[in-house]
């Protein structure tokens, strides 16, 4: 079971994360006579619960990292695009500069877990393709969430602890990899359009690398909306793939660079959103592909406003997300569909 809602929505991006809350967990004001675990008990708790080691941490900046984690046991077979939960004990210290957290003493012996889509290196150290089925670790694309979205929400529990960890530190990775967001059947000559926001790029990187490793001949378009170019942690890998594979296109669309927000900038283009680029036809021009529903598969992951799913009876979003724009263009929202023209999207809420 996938637990609760995303850890936070901040700066226009959705940060992937779920929590499993037991019935024993109470409100923030709950108190207990239990003493916090001392150093010896913390060592025992880590030995009892932790089953994986951080083997590499690649920081883009202080709030964005690529975390490589190797479980103690062999990784089970799974498909690109799926997710797994990782976690840390509430007994672990929080990073300075994050929202304070009043943790009831009885929760200090529990583990907080979040589900993260699995990314991949895309290329190994020798420049070869590195899809998820060729590596013995998980790669996660993680944003630090410093505070909850409102005072009524609990402070974020995992990433303020996770960002204090370094290579060699231990944590929890669940044994089961799951999720319905995966490639499925894609014809070798079909166009594949990935659209994501922020760390929602993670499953798309895994799927794109898998397609290239399969010898996919059709166009692969990986478009991501981010604040600034510094948020594009895989930019070097994408550049190398585009140089090697003429069918591959990567677009990092920014919203907060000077050319996005300063009309006086000589290269002013305004904020670049996926919805606008798609509906105007500009994305098709950039990709040099007609994005014809008859042979294009679409994958959406990230900010719910970008995806644009409106539940039955809900109020349509303004501006609309990608789903209504794609439906208007002839694509189909068919749950479980895998033929060209189908829209697949990861729902993090």
């Amino acid at each position: 079971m996938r637990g609760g809602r995303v850890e936070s929505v901040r700066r226009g991006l959705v940060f992937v994360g779920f929590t499993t809350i037991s019935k024993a967990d109470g409100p923030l004001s709950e108190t207990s006579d239990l003493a916090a675990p001392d150093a010896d008990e913390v060592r025992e708790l880590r030995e009892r619960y932790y089953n994986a080691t951080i083997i590499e941490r690649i920081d883009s900046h202080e709030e964005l990292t690529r975390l490589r984690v190797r479980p103690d046991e062999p990784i089970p077979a799974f498909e690109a695009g799926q997710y797994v939960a990782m976690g840390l004990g509430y007994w672990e210290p929080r990073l300075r500069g994050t929202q304070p957290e009043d943790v009831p003493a009885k929760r200090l012996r529990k583990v907080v877990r979040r589900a993260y889509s699995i990314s991949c290196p895309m290329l190994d150290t020798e420049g070869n393709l590195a899809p998820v089925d060729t590596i013995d670790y998980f790669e996660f694309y993680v944003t630090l969430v410093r505070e909850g979205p409102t005072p009524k929400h609990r402070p974020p529990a995992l990433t303020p602890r996770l960002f204090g960890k370094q290579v060699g530190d231990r944590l929890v990775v669940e044994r089961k990899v799951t999720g319905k967001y995966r490639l499925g059947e894609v014809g070798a000559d079909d166009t594949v359009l990935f659209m994501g926001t922020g760390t929602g790029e993670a499953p798309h990187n895994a799927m794109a690398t898998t397609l290239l490793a399969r010898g996919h001949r059709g166009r692969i378009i990986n478009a991501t909306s981010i604040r600034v170019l510094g948020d594009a942690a895989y930019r070097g890998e994408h550049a190398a793939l585009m140089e090697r594979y003429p069918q591959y296109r990567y677009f990092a669309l920014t919203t907060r660079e000077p050319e996005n927000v300063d009309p006086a900038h000589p290269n002013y283009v305004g904020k670049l959103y996926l919805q606008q680029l798609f509906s105007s036809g500009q994305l098709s021009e950039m990709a040099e592909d007609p994005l014809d529903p008859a042979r294009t598969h679409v994958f959406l992951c990230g900010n719910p406003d970008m995806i644009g799913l409106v539940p039955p009876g809900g109020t349509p979003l303004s501006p609309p997300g990608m789903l209504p724009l794609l439906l208007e263009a002839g694509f189909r929202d068919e749950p479980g569909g895998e033929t060209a023209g189908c829209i697949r999207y990861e729902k993090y809420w």
Side-chain angles (χ1 to χ4, degrees), residues 215-331:
H216 189 81
R217 298 184 294 267
R219 184 76 78 209
I220 302 171
I221 304 152
N222 195 345
T224 304
S225 178
I226 53 178
R227 301 169 306 167
V228 295
L229 283 177
D231 291 340
Y234 292 82
R235 194 171 19 160
E237 288 80 355
H238 291 303
L241 290 174
M242 286 192 289
E243 184 175 346
R244 185 181 308 178
Y245 299 97
Q247 71 272 39
Y248 186 70
R249 296 284 188 278
Y250 174 74
F251 303 112
L253 310 170
T254 59
T255 60
R256 296 196 180 185
E257 289 285 357
E259 59 266 31
N260 304 127
V261 297
D262 181 6
H265 193 280
N267 298 319
Y268 179 71
V269 293
K271 295 184 178 182
L272 299 176
Y273 291 107
L274 293 165
Q275 299 96 306
Q276 296 170 346
L277 292 177
F278 177 82
S279 59
S280 68
Q282 189 176 352
L283 184 60
S284 176
E285 294 176 6
M286 293 164 59
E288 298 178 322
D289 190 279
L291 304 181
D292 181 359
R295 63 178 190 81
T296 301
H297 303 254
V298 178
F299 295 81
L300 308 174
C301 183
N303 192 324
D305 288 343
M306 181 277 289
I307 294 174
L309 177 65
V310 178
T315 303
L317 297 175
S318 181
M322 282 304 310
L323 276 173
L325 297 176
L326 288 163
L327 293 172
E328 184 178 340
F331 290 87

Side-chain angles (χ1 to χ4, degrees), residues 55-238:
I55 61 170
E56 191 170 0
R57 175 174 166 169
I58 307 170
D59 293 339
S60 296
H61 51 72
E62 65 179 7
E63 295 186 350
L64 183 66
T65 191
R66 293 166 58 179
L67 205 63
R68 293 174 178 172
V69 177
R70 179 177 289 131
D72 297 340
E73 300 294 329
I75 295 173
F78 68 96
E79 296 184 53
Q82 294 188 298
Y83 62 85
V84 70
M86 64 172 168
L88 286 167
Y90 276 104
W91 58 82
E92 300 291 353
R94 294 171 66 83
L95 193 69
R96 288 177 179 269
T98 60
Q99 182 180 359
E101 183 183 30
D102 182 15
V103 182
K106 68 178 183 180
R107 194 180 298 151
L108 284 172
R109 292 165 176 79
K110 296 181 181 293
V111 173
V112 56
R113 297 171 176 84
R114 300 285 185 269
Y116 286 88
S117 294
I118 302 165
S119 186
C120 74
M122 305 194 83
L123 295 168
D124 64 19
T125 55
E126 298 179 353
N128 301 311
L129 288 171
V132 294
D133 60 355
T134 65
I135 55 177
D136 64 350
Y137 58 85
F138 292 120
E139 177 155 325
F140 301 106
Y141 193 18
V142 187
T143 299
L144 170 63
V145 183
R146 292 187 178 273
E147 59 188 21
T150 72
K152 293 183 179 180
H153 289 77
R154 283 179 175 160
L158 180 57
T159 61
R161 294 177 168 87
L162 187 61
F163 270 71
K165 297 300 180 181
Q166 302 298 329
V167 171
D169 286 336
R170 302 274 288 167
L171 44 68
V172 174
V173 172
E174 294 299 317
R175 293 179 176 83
K176 184 177 181 181
V177 181
T178 188
K180 297 180 180 180
Y181 192 61
R182 52 188 187 268
L183 277 171
E185 297 296 326
V186 176
D189 295 302
D190 290 346
T191 294
V192 183
L193 174 60
F194 298 112
M195 289 187 278
T197 59
T199 54
E201 177 185 317
H204 298 165
N205 291 344
M207 289 191 275
T209 307
T210 294
L211 284 171
L212 291 171
R214 289 180 186 174
H216 189 81
R217 298 184 294 267
R219 184 76 78 209
I220 302 171
I221 304 152
N222 195 345
T224 304
S225 178
I226 53 178
R227 301 169 306 167
V228 295
L229 283 177
D231 291 340
Y234 292 82
R235 194 171 19 160
E237 288 80 355
H238 291 303

